[in-house]
Amino acid sequence: MGTACTPPRKSPPKRGAPKSPKGPKTPSNTTQLSLPTLWLKGDVCLLRVVYSPSGKPAFFPELKKAIGDLIEQGIGSLGVASLLDNKGNLLRNDKNFVVQGVLFTVDLEGDESDEVKRQIVHDIAEKIGDLYCRVTKPFSNATTKAKPFSYRVGYCDMSEKYLDQVVSFNDAALAVARMYHDFLANDSFDKNAESIIGTFFHIKDNDDFDKAKAEVLNAYETHVKHK
């Protein structure tokens, strides 16, 4: 299944035993980043970019503009999404900017172990880290000299959370519209809506279902259909 601007999603090749997670060296003359990831229901993953060791969210605009590079590398990128805190509110940094992360899909051949899943995510996270370091201009000011970026891939947390519990409702709907654009295009979404919506949204009643379905349809018509 492809996204709106990607080739059809392909299953990853069979792998051997996972290697120990590691990233490039992080010398002291670089601005060090950590890339923690979260595996969500529906085999969708969220990657955050944070400064290490402070844990503060990193700057995102350049990566957001270059997200098409991930698609060209065969990654099922769903774009950049705004993150939620534990109370369901938009997560903001100390300058009151909304914190964002990268969403991407992972295709599995079968019932892979968590270790194999983590290795697949680790490999994708390395590509995102490489892209971030390549396109993001190091910051500097009167007291801080610009340093190139380096990164280490963080731990992948295997979560049972729904997509709309970790990113904004609108961004969750847009991600689903991108994943299922072929269903939406050939009018087969309706007969599969209950399963699809129930996979990515935390549904408590019919009103929740109707709201999520309407937002997915709107996201498709507004942002996906003619792309």
Side-chain angles (χ1 to χ4, degrees), residues 77-157:
S77 171
L78 300 174
V80 171
S82 299
L83 307 187
L84 303 179
D85 61 21
N86 292 331
K87 296 181 179 179
N89 300 314
L90 286 173
L91 184 63
R92 297 180 181 274
N93 63 16
D94 52 7
K95 295 184 178 179
N96 205 36
F97 292 121
V98 175
V99 177
Q100 296 179 314
V102 178
L103 289 174
F104 58 91
T105 56
V106 179
D107 287 302
L108 303 174
E109 292 185 338
D111 189 20
E112 282 87 346
S113 68
D114 285 354
E115 292 307 313
V116 171
K117 291 177 181 178
R118 286 191 174 100
Q119 184 58 55
I120 296 171
V121 171
H122 179 273
D123 293 346
I124 295 174
E126 281 192 330
K127 294 179 181 180
I128 297 175
D130 289 342
L131 178 61
Y132 186 96
C133 293
R134 188 170 76 246
V135 303
T136 304
K137 183 178 179 181
F139 54 82
S140 63
N141 54 37
T143 58
T144 303
K145 184 179 179 180
K147 295 181 180 180
F149 291 105
S150 62
Y151 70 88
R152 286 191 178 276
V153 176
Y155 185 75
C156 179
D157 183 13

Side-chain angles (χ1 to χ4, degrees), residues 184-199:
L184 289 154
N186 63 24
D187 297 324
S188 61
F189 181 77
D190 273 351
K191 65 181 180 181
N192 295 282
E194 185 175 348
S195 174
I196 294 171
I197 297 299
T199 297

